[in-house]
Amino acid sequence: MDALTRRPLLASDAAALLEIELAAEQAEPSENFPDLTKLQERLANPGVDLVGGSLAYLSGDDIVASGFLLVRPTSTRWTVNLFGAVLPEFRRRGLGREMLALLKEKAQSQRSAAGAADLPGDLLVWVPGGRDAASAFASTAGFVTRRYFVEMRAELAAGPAAFPLDGIEIRGWNPADDERTRLAYNAAFADHWGSPPMDVDRWRITFAESSFFRPELSRVAVAGREIVGFVLVAEFPAQTEARGYRTAYVDRVGSLRSVRGRGLAAAMLTDSMRAQFDAGIRYAELTVDADSPTGAGRLYERLGYEVVHTNVVHGLDF
């Protein structure tokens, strides 16, 4: 520990962070496929302040541990996602505990600087299924289980076109849909845990401007001029390279409350899955809240999705 130096992360550190993530995946395989572009986009997220909310530990010129905060506040809670990892050979030295304590202090400072010191804080860590050491560390550090998210996978096959719904058109996403889709997302996910409204900047870096977004596989449902539902799909080249076949990741599925109960989500997903198959993709995957207020997991099972593993979200009040 005495030989290590410490500084904030830089955007140019993404390649070093990738090496740490690859080592973590090798030590505890979790079907997580680290990707340099994904890391670069995450570090560029508007909720990330590298100067005030990140740490890099270096041995000589090499980063051996890192962590950063992604702030996602609401009007009632200061929610912060924590990302961090330590190279396996540098674990069990207290480095993770020290980094967590410092990042927690930074989260508190960010909250105060934003004039939100009175808001309750929630520091969240997403642990993929299979990362038992990370879950054990979180528990030892005082985190408690906040939520379970289930990873599901379906083998794609030629299927029917989406069944028609009166007054609703299901079609492919295009750039002119972007802002209306964002507004529909914010409305549809208002009753979902851990899904604060997205502003324009965060929305665009997550979807329309993301290297991984696949508009040709995504779908929107339109009633008049209003977007009332959406299926937003991504694809990750690192995953394809590792597996040897293509997989579509269904990133978001949502519909406005006014049209729920009519089979809209099933219709949009059916149409998207057919497009995925026609594009030469073998599997579709998605992640669903185990306690989804819409019972989405049951819908996905009816469409052929099966549980692969379960991820855990650990939280710490501050």
Side-chain angles (χ1 to χ4, degrees), residues 147-154 189 192 253-254 265-266 269 273 286-309:
R147 211 77 168 184
Y148 294 98
F149 282 82
V150 179
E151 298 276 350
M152 304 185 77
R153 180 182 299 157
F189 277 79
H192 286 56
V253 180
L269 263 174
M273 291 169 71
L286 52 77
T287 305
V288 61
D289 185 345
D291 293 317
S292 168
T294 62
R298 296 188 295 275
L299 163 67
Y300 303 143
E301 288 176 348
R302 291 197 298 271
L303 293 177
Y305 287 84
E306 298 178 348
V307 174
V308 178
H309 60 250

Side-chain angles (χ1 to χ4, degrees), residues 41 44-47 178-179 182 186 197-210:
E41 291 186 0
N45 190 291
D178 191 45
E179 176 61 9
R182 182 183 74 87
N186 286 342
M198 285 200 191
D199 62 22
V200 171
D201 290 339
R202 182 171 169 237
W203 174 263
R204 287 180 178 168
I205 200 170
T206 304
F207 295 109
E209 296 178 1
S210 170

Side-chain angles (χ1 to χ4, degrees), residues 213-233:
F213 181 52
R214 297 293 180 263
E216 71 278 11
L217 305 176
S218 301
R219 293 293 181 266
V220 292
V222 185
R225 291 187 51 80
E226 183 182 22
I227 289 180
V228 297
F230 50 86
V231 171
L232 304 176
V233 180

Side-chain angles (χ1 to χ4, degrees), residues 106-118:
K106 290 179 181 294
Q108 292 168 328
S109 296
Q110 289 178 328
R111 178 178 58 180
S112 297
D118 293 337

